């Protein structure tokens, strides 16, 4: 099953790309694909693209959405248990705690963004990264990865993450993990009325 890294770089790794604090979100995306109402059928991958839904009119049950949030919470708890710094542990524990409400009182509709939104996030090139820049979730320095795929969220803080780390959070919660600003909400375009133009049309 190809990862987003392999798809975007048109490569295939015979072995895992790197070890360390990476988590396996395959089960999360498998369940998400079953619950997703995204009408665009796509080929499956570990980053959440999907094959056609068997029943496009089906809505996820609270049990299903609770299970999805539990899978994400479990992976964040795994990272928290091996956190390299107290700040990273505190950050991950806050994310874990914020998922409790979704697990105990699960929504019937996922608030997360769709895969198209994730696919179009701004990528940060290697030249734009300093040696000590790391992902707030996994805390692995970006440049340690030859094929790093770093995205910048469209929040006010322009927070950056490894795509593989932030993708599951965005798909399920739809917010920036750091500032909790909602993502993917289109701002209404203000309608500007031009009185002079209307006058010209009426009396011209």
């Amino acid at each position: 099953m190809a990862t987003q890294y392999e798809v975007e770089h048109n490569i295939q790794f015979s072995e895992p790309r790197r070890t360390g604090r990476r988590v396996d979100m395959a089960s999360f995306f498998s369940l998400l694909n079953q619950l997703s109402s995204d009408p665009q059928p796509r080929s499956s991958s570990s980053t959440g693209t999907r094959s056609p839904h068997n029943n496009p009119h089906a809505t996820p049950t609270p049990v299903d959405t609770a299970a999805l949030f539990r899978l994400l919470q479990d992976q964040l708890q795994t990272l928290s248990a091996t956190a390299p710094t107290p700040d990273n542990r505190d950050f991950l524990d806050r994310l874990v705690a914020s998922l409790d409400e979704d697990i105990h009182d699960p929504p019937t509709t996922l608030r997360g963004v769709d895969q198209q939104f994730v696919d179009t996030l701004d990528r940060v090139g290697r030249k734009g990264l300093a040696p000590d820049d790391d992902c707030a979730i996994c805390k692995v320095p970006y440049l340690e990865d030859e094929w790093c795929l770093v995205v910048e969220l469209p929040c006010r803080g322009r927070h950056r993450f490894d795509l593989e780390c932030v993708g599951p959070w965005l798909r399920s919660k739809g917010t920036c993990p750091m500032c909790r600003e909602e993502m993917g909400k289109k701002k209404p375009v203000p309608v500007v009325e031009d009185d002079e133009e209307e006058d010209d049309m009426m009396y011209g």
Side-chain angles (χ1 to χ4, degrees):
M1 188 176 289
T3 66
Q4 185 73 19
Y5 287 76
E6 293 169 318
V7 170
E8 292 210 3
H9 294 289
N10 195 28
I11 56 174
Q12 184 172 0
F13 295 109
S14 57
E15 297 179 359
R17 203 169 36 82
R18 64 178 180 179
T19 57
R21 303 186 68 240
R22 288 295 182 180
V23 294
D24 182 5
M25 297 303 296
S27 296
F28 170 89
F29 281 116
S30 177
L31 179 56
L32 178 65
N33 292 342
Q34 295 173 36
L35 305 183
S36 175
S37 59
D38 183 356
Q40 299 280 334
R42 303 179 186 186
S43 59
S44 297
S45 81
S46 65
T47 58
T49 53
R50 65 191 204 89
S51 54
H53 199 293
N54 291 335
N55 183 357
H57 303 291
T59 57
T61 67
V63 172
D64 292 332
T65 53
L68 184 75
F69 289 117
R70 174 64 73 186
L71 287 170
L72 177 56
Q73 188 182 58
D74 288 346
Q75 296 302 328
L76 292 173
Q77 286 173 326
T78 298
L79 287 176
S80 176
T82 58
T85 67
D87 285 346
N88 179 239
R89 180 174 287 106
D90 289 344
F91 172 64
L92 293 170
D93 288 345
R94 287 195 303 273
L95 297 184
V96 167
S98 74
L99 291 166
D100 278 336
E101 183 179 344
D102 295 304
I103 292 169
H104 298 302
D105 186 19
T108 55
T109 303
L110 292 175
R111 297 185 298 269
V113 301
D114 60 20
Q115 186 61 36
Q116 182 179 8
F117 177 88
V118 175
D119 291 342
T120 56
L121 287 171
D122 289 340
R123 300 321 197 230
V124 182
R126 294 181 70 87
K127 292 180 180 178
L129 300 169
D132 59 346
D133 286 347
D134 59 21
C135 175
I137 297 174
C138 71
K139 292 305 285 183
V140 176
Y142 298 125
L143 294 178
E144 282 189 7
D145 183 1
E146 181 182 359
W147 302 100
C148 65
L149 188 49
V150 182
V151 294
E152 184 174 271
L153 302 190
C155 57
R156 282 183 285 274
R158 309 297 296 177
H159 295 121
R160 297 175 175 183
F161 302 89
D162 279 317
L163 178 60
E164 286 184 336
C165 290
V166 77
W169 181 272
L170 292 173
R171 293 298 312 277
S172 56
K173 295 287 284 182
T175 62
C176 170
M178 293 193 76
C179 64
R180 306 300 173 87
E181 184 177 333
E182 290 193 15
M183 301 286 100
K185 303 294 183 184
K186 292 184 178 179
K187 296 180 180 178
V189 178
V191 177
V192 179
E193 294 184 7
D194 191 339
D195 293 336
E196 291 182 4
E197 185 175 322
E198 289 180 6
D199 290 343
D200 290 343
M201 291 177 66
M202 289 177 62
Y203 301 110

